[in-house]
């Protein structure tokens, strides 16, 4: 029964929410609202579980005395510090928690994502090779959209922006819509497989 | 030196530590990376505590809503994953979450994407202006060709193959547009960071 | 010539990083000020908010984090400017964990400028975990989903939240999103279900996939990336990071185009030379 009960719970939970979409009855909707509220709480526990796992993995590493042990200690100290400071002294503006978020977390996360600009330029130079008709079409569209969507495009040709807007609204849209429809069909079939129990990977191994 | 100035200096130094990765992996980058991971994990827990646990679980439970014991237990069951002998109990909570998200996804993708997107492509092919009609033809032919390409149960040969090839061309245009926009996005992020370093930290940008 | 092409072909990528760094930095110090026009989707975003009667309640969902701040924070600031000018009452939620402190800063900055009062003209409900589940839950009851605001004040005590049960009591939804959960989920779970007006600002990475939603009318307006933010700033009449970053955006795009061109020219010329030598 270790897999059957969870599968039954999966089916009942999913079917309930699908039914909620179609059943306007107030009593039914209020139960859906309650279940929604419970889900938000359980998901929050899942987030904390993830963090606890991070702590556990790093503690194991420290016990094994790997070469990056000092860094793992720093990680755990920062984790505990931020957690305690936030829980005990609050998370609003002008708190220590907020100061660390704005001055350490925020700049670092922003810079990590900004590094991608360098790598995309490097990839454009070293890996973007126009070897076929398809690749040429990709490259030409990329260049037209890249130049057309910035002010320099309008300075080169006043209708460049309108032309790149046409590319986005017509040929590009056709491809994206096909991907949307295909993805929707895939998501619906995967969702149904999960609900009826054909897809069980989320339950893990015995 | 005020806390704000100190904060900007510390933020800028950490930013430069991350930037140093461009040269090569180094202890400064590793230090900054581990500080970031620790702080972000701790941030998340504190946020969940104040924004979810307290208002949505603890206060209603203390006010007498005993039904809140159910999500408390379901959430607690997730932590049984750490104990091999009882880890199977966590499947109850995971099953509930997966079921709910699957149900919501079926409705969302069905109504929001599938039906409305097909409806949105049922466009008049004549009777409108020439430019609009041409655009509608391109949209219709493009969508059908791309969907034909995605049909892998039949070999792409003959006239079916020709239509599939047209579909590939439309998809290449889509991916090209996505690449162009991705370049725009990444460059924007770098512009923001340089604005922070030159403007907020060093204060050397012209007004 | 061949040696030059080989150097180009095997160029250390750190030189490319230097060129990109210069392409982005120099226009910040020597602005060019190239003019640009406003595109239809951004005009749609602006016009949809302008048409809302003054004093109405708007739900704004700020679903982003510091990683996408340069693109989305200017949009947030400018949207708040437009809404506060029209005396719209703004109810703000966040579905990304790192969003709330950024929203607090935006509100402190713009709210003070327009003398707007917390709880009366705007409220920041904070973050809830759950992604689409939160969206669906708000469709049933916003107060039950967000029993308190970000600072812990019960919503029953907040004037702007009086009479607000679910989406039917707000005039429209403004979504600023960096990915998942974001615009796509708002369209799927909320707009299609409750038929409520929805406009979105998103990162340039995700903008192309939302054009189908704009074409069907599921989105009444769409802003993509820093250029979208700049166009919106032009409409609202503010000078923000979006506008200031356009010159750097132009030069960096030209640089990437040059890289693609030079990279391919060098590669294929070298290949042609080698094939000619080998006979």
């Amino acid at each position: 029964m270790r897999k059957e009960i969870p599968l039954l719970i999966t089916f009942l939970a999913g079917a309930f929410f699908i039914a909620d979409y179609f059943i306007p009855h107030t009593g039914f909707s209020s139960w859906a609202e309650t279940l929604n509220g419970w889900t938000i709480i359980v998901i929050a526990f899942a987030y904390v579980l993830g963090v606890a796992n991070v702590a556990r993995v790093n503690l194991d590493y420290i016990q094994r005395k790997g070469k990056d042990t000092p860094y793992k200690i720093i990680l755990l100290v920062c984790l505990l510090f931020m957690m305690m400071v936030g829980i005990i002294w609050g998370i609003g503006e002008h708190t220590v928690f907020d100061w660390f978020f704005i001055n350490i977390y925020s700049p670092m996360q922003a810079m990590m994502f900004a590094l991608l600009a360098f790598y995309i330029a490097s990839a454009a130079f070293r890996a973007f090779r126009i070897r076929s008709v398809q690749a040429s079409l990709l490259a030409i569209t990329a260049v037209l959209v890249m130049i057309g969507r910035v002010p320099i495009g309008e300075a080169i040709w006043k209708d460049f922006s309108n032309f790149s807007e046409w590319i986005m609204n017509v040929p590009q849209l056709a491809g994206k819509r096909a991907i949307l429809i295909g993805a929707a069909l895939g998501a619906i079939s995967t969702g149904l497989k999960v609900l009826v129990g054909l897809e069980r990977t989320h339950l893990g191994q015995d | 030196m005020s806390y704000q100035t100190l904060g900007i200096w510390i933020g800028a130094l950490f930013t430069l530590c991350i930037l140093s990765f461009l040269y090569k992996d180094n202890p400064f980058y590793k230090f900054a990376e581990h500080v970031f991971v620790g702080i972000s994990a701790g941030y998340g827990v504190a946020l969940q505590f104040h924004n979810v646990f307290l208002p949505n679980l603890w206060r209603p439970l203390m006010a007498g809503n005993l039904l809140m014991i159910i999500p408390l237990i379901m959430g607690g069951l997730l932590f049984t994953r750490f104990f091999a002998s009882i880890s199977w109990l966590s499947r109850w909570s995971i099953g509930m979450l997966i079921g709910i998200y699957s149900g919501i996804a079926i409705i969302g993708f069905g109504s929001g994407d599938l039906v409305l997107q097909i409806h949105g492509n049922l466009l008049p092919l004549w009777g409108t202006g020439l430019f609009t009609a041409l655009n509608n033809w391109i949209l219709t032919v493009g969508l059908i060709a791309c969907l034909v390409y995605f049909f892998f149960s039949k070999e792409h040969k003959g006239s079916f193959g020709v239509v599939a090839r047209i579909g590939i061309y439309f998809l290449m245009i889509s991916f090209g547009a996505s690449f162009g926009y991705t370049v725009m996005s990444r460059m924007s992020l770098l512009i923001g960071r340089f604005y922070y370093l030159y403007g907020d930290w060093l204060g050397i940008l012209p007004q | 010539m061949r040696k030059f092409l080989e150097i180009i072909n095997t160029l250390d990528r750190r030189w490319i990083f230097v060129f990109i760094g210069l392409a982005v930095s120099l226009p910040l110090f020597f602005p060019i000020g190239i003019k640009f026009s406003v595109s239809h989707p951004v005009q749609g975003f602006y016009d949809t908010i302008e048409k809302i009667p003054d004093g109405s309640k708007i739900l704004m969902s700020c679903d982003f984090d510091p990683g996408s701040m340069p693109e989305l924070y200017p949009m947030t600031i400018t949207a708040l400017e437009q809404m506060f000018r029209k005396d719209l009452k703004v109810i703000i939620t966040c579905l990304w964990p790192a969003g709330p402190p950024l929203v607090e800063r935006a509100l402190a900055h713009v709210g003070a400028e327009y003398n707007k009062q917390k709880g009366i003209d705007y409220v920041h409900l904070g973050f809830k975990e759950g992604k689409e589940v939160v969206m669906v839950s708000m469709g049933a009851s916003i107060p039950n989903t967000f029993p308190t605001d970000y600072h812990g004040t019960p919503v029953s005590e907040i004037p702007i939240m009086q009479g607000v049960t679910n989406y039917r009591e707000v005039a429209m939804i403004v979504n600023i999103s960096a990915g998942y959960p974001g615009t796509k989920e708002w369209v799927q779970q909320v707009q299609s279900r409750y038929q409520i007006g929805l406009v979105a600002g998103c990162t340039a990475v995700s903008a192309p996939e939302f054009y189908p939603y704009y074409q069907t009318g599921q989105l009444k307006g769409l802003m993509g990336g820093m250029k979208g933010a700049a166009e919106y700033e032009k409409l609202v009449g503010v000078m923000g990071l979006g506008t200031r970053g356009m010159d750097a955006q132009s030069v960096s795009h030209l640089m990437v185009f040059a890289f693609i061109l030079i990279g391919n020219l060098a590669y294929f010329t070298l290949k042609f030379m080698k094939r000619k030598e080998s006979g």
Side-chain angles (χ1 to χ4, degrees):
Chain A
M1 295 302 279
R2 289 187 177 191
K3 275 202 168 169
E4 283 73 17
I5 292 178
L7 285 173
L8 182 65
I9 292 172
T10 302
F11 173 74
L12 288 173
F16 185 83
F17 273 90
I18 293 172
D20 175 52
Y21 181 77
F22 296 103
I23 299 174
H25 190 264
T26 316
F28 199 89
S29 300
S30 75
W31 271 108
E33 189 188 323
T34 305
L35 201 55
N36 263 324
W38 293 357
T39 308
I40 290 169
I41 295 163
V42 177
I43 290 275
F45 272 96
Y47 186 95
V48 177
L49 173 74
V51 172
N53 202 44
V54 164
R56 187 180 73 140
V57 161
N58 284 283
L59 273 168
D60 285 344
Y61 187 94
I62 291 167
Q63 277 173 346
R64 282 183 280 116
K65 294 187 174 62
K67 70 172 173 54
D68 285 340
T69 296
Y71 297 114
K72 304 303 178 192
I73 294 171
I74 289 168
L75 190 156
L76 287 173
V77 165
C78 289
L79 194 160
L80 276 168
F81 173 79
M82 197 68 173
M83 197 170 75
M84 298 321 299
V85 155
I87 288 173
I88 295 169
W89 286 303
I91 59 173
E93 216 178 350
H94 308 304
T95 58
V96 173
F97 180 86
D98 185 64
W99 189 93
F100 271 80
F101 175 88
I102 290 297
N103 295 301
I104 298 178
Y105 177 108
S106 182
M108 278 208 276
Q109 191 187 37
M111 190 66 232
M112 279 186 177
F113 279 90
L115 287 181
L116 294 166
F118 296 103
Y119 294 120
I120 203 168
S122 171
F125 183 76
R126 285 145 61 102
F128 203 142
R129 295 289 176 255
I130 302 169
R131 289 196 182 98
S132 62
V133 172
Q134 287 99 317
S136 329
L137 210 49
L138 196 150
I140 290 166
T141 312
V143 167
L144 288 174
V145 168
M146 236 175 16
I147 305 297
R149 283 300 292 149
V150 288
I152 198 87
E154 281 185 68
I156 294 168
W157 172 38
K158 70 172 175 58
D159 285 325
F160 211 145
S161 175
N162 292 335
F163 178 60
S164 71
E165 204 55 38
W166 175 84
I167 294 174
M168 297 305 294
N169 282 319
V170 185
Q172 187 278 147
L173 198 150
K176 281 291 182 303
R177 180 164 278 158
I179 292 169
L180 269 179
I181 291 169
L185 290 168
I188 292 166
S189 69
T190 305
L192 285 169
K193 280 201 291 191
V194 166
L195 290 189
V196 300
L198 288 171
E199 182 68 53
R200 301 177 179 199
T201 48
H202 61 281
L203 297 178
Q205 307 281 350
D206 266 323
Chain B
M1 186 185 263
S2 70
Y3 279 120
Q4 197 180 359
T5 311
L6 176 68
I8 290 173
W9 270 86
I10 290 176
L13 289 172
F14 272 113
T15 302
L16 293 173
C17 288
I18 301 289
L19 200 53
S20 68
F21 185 74
L22 289 176
Y23 184 68
K24 61 176 181 177
D25 196 5
N26 60 81
F28 293 108
Y29 171 78
K30 270 197 161 114
F31 168 71
E33 182 192 39
H34 284 80
V35 167
F36 172 71
V37 172
I39 284 188
S40 67
Y43 168 87
V45 173
L47 187 78
Q48 299 287 355
F49 178 80
H50 285 285
N51 273 203
V52 183
F53 293 134
L54 284 184
N56 289 61
L57 175 66
W58 191 248
R59 289 192 191 118
L61 192 59
M62 291 299 109
N65 183 355
L66 295 175
L67 275 179
M68 300 313 280
I69 289 174
I70 298 172
L72 180 62
I73 293 170
M74 294 299 276
L77 284 178
L78 283 169
F79 289 91
T80 59
R81 289 183 78 79
F82 290 126
F83 309 102
S85 57
I86 53 168
S87 65
W88 59 272
L89 282 169
S90 65
R91 288 177 187 160
W92 289 30
S93 307
I94 292 170
M96 178 185 113
L97 294 176
I98 297 293
I100 287 169
Y101 277 97
S102 299
I104 285 175
I106 287 169
I107 295 298
F109 278 97
S111 65
D113 279 4
L114 188 65
V115 170
L116 287 170
Q117 287 302 313
I118 292 171
H119 183 263
N121 219 74
L122 296 171
L123 299 161
L125 298 176
W126 58 83
T128 59
L130 178 66
F131 189 62
T132 307
L134 182 66
N135 286 341
N136 292 348
W137 271 99
I138 295 172
L139 275 169
T140 307
V141 167
L143 178 66
I144 292 169
C146 291
L147 290 174
V148 163
Y149 172 72
F150 287 142
F151 192 72
F152 296 114
S153 305
K154 182 174 161 56
E155 209 175 339
H156 291 178
K157 279 195 326 191
S159 50
F160 194 82
V162 169
V163 179
R165 187 155 283 273
I166 295 171
I168 292 174
Y169 294 149
F170 274 93
L171 286 169
M172 288 299 119
I173 292 173
S174 283
F175 297 146
S178 290
F179 180 81
Y181 265 73
T182 302
V183 168
M184 183 158 85
S185 187
R186 304 300 175 218
M187 292 302 157
S188 304
L189 303 185
L190 188 60
I191 291 166
R193 281 301 85 200
F194 278 10
Y195 209 86
Y196 169 78
L197 287 172
Y198 297 135
D200 295 342
W201 178 41
L202 296 172
I204 55 175
L205 281 181
Q207 291 304 314
Chain C
M1 173 71 166
R2 186 184 165 133
K3 196 161 169 61
F4 174 71
L5 287 172
E6 274 169 4
I7 292 169
I8 296 286
N9 226 18
T10 54
L11 191 67
D12 189 323
R13 65 180 187 171
R14 287 173 291 195
W15 283 109
I16 299 167
F17 298 162
V18 169
F19 285 126
I20 283 293
L22 287 170
V24 170
S25 302
L26 290 173
L28 293 178
F29 289 100
F30 306 107
I32 311 165
I34 310 170
K35 298 214 179 326
F36 54 88
S37 57
V38 176
S39 57
H40 284 123
V42 177
Q43 188 73 52
F45 188 105
Y46 175 82
D47 289 344
T48 307
I49 296 178
E50 275 299 300
K51 285 182 191 144
I52 300 292
D54 291 6
S56 305
K57 289 178 184 169
I58 303 268
L59 179 70
M60 184 173 184
S61 190
C62 296
D63 307 330
F64 63 94
D65 64 6
S68 40
M69 255 180 88
E71 295 179 283
L72 301 181
Y73 192 72
M75 290 181 190
T76 307
I77 294 281
T78 313
L80 284 171
E81 293 241 11
Q82 186 185 8
M83 290 191 283
F84 284 158
R85 268 185 215 171
K86 285 181 60 64
D87 199 32
L88 297 174
K89 309 301 177 190
V90 188
I91 301 166
I92 301 180
T93 60
C94 297
L95 297 179
W96 283 46
L102 305 177
V103 168
E104 282 289 293
R105 249 144 201 82
L107 285 169
H109 171 72
V110 187
E113 203 180 307
Y114 288 88
N115 292 319
K116 294 297 178 183
Q117 287 180 274
K118 187 167 73 174
I120 296 172
D121 299 301
Y122 66 86
V123 65
H124 176 201
L125 296 178
F127 162 78
K128 282 288 176 270
E129 187 62 79
K131 303 176 176 45
E132 300 98 307
V133 169
V134 179
M135 295 174 190
V136 173
S137 179
M138 286 164 68
S141 171
I142 297 175
N144 285 349
T145 311
F146 292 89
T148 64
D149 73 353
Y150 183 59
H151 304 280
T153 309
V155 295
S156 56
E157 296 171 17
I158 299 174
I160 191 180
M161 291 299 293
Q162 302 311 311
V164 175
T165 313
N166 53 38
Y167 297 125
R168 299 193 205 290
E169 281 84 44
V170 296
M172 65 175 284
I173 298 172
V174 175
N175 173 236
I176 309 290
S177 108
Y180 173 74
T183 302
K184 191 176 172 74
E185 287 68 39
W186 279 104
V187 169
Q188 288 175 338
Q189 303 296 342
V190 179
Q191 198 284 328
S192 63
R193 198 163 171 164
Y194 300 98
Q195 300 302 310
I196 185 169
L198 175 66
V199 294
C202 61
T203 56
V205 167
S206 25
E209 72 175 286
F210 299 145
Y211 271 81
Y213 295 137
Y214 179 67
Q215 189 261 349
T216 54
Q218 289 166 287
L219 286 175
K220 300 268 180 264
L222 176 66
M223 289 193 285
M226 196 182 245
K227 176 75 184 331
E231 291 173 16
Y232 188 43
E233 284 170 1
K234 184 176 177 178
L235 287 170
V236 174
V238 302
M239 171 67 104
L241 176 62
T243 310
R244 290 201 181 100
M246 279 300 98
D247 292 335
Q249 192 95 70
S250 292
V251 174
S252 59
H253 282 210
L254 283 176
M255 183 70 76
V256 172
F257 167 58
F259 283 151
I260 296 172
L261 195 63
I262 294 168
N264 278 281
L265 279 173
Y267 174 78
F268 286 107
T269 310
L270 206 56
K271 199 174 169 187
F272 177 73
M273 280 178 170
K274 283 181 182 166
R275 203 183 292 165
K276 214 172 164 187
E277 276 167 20
S278 64

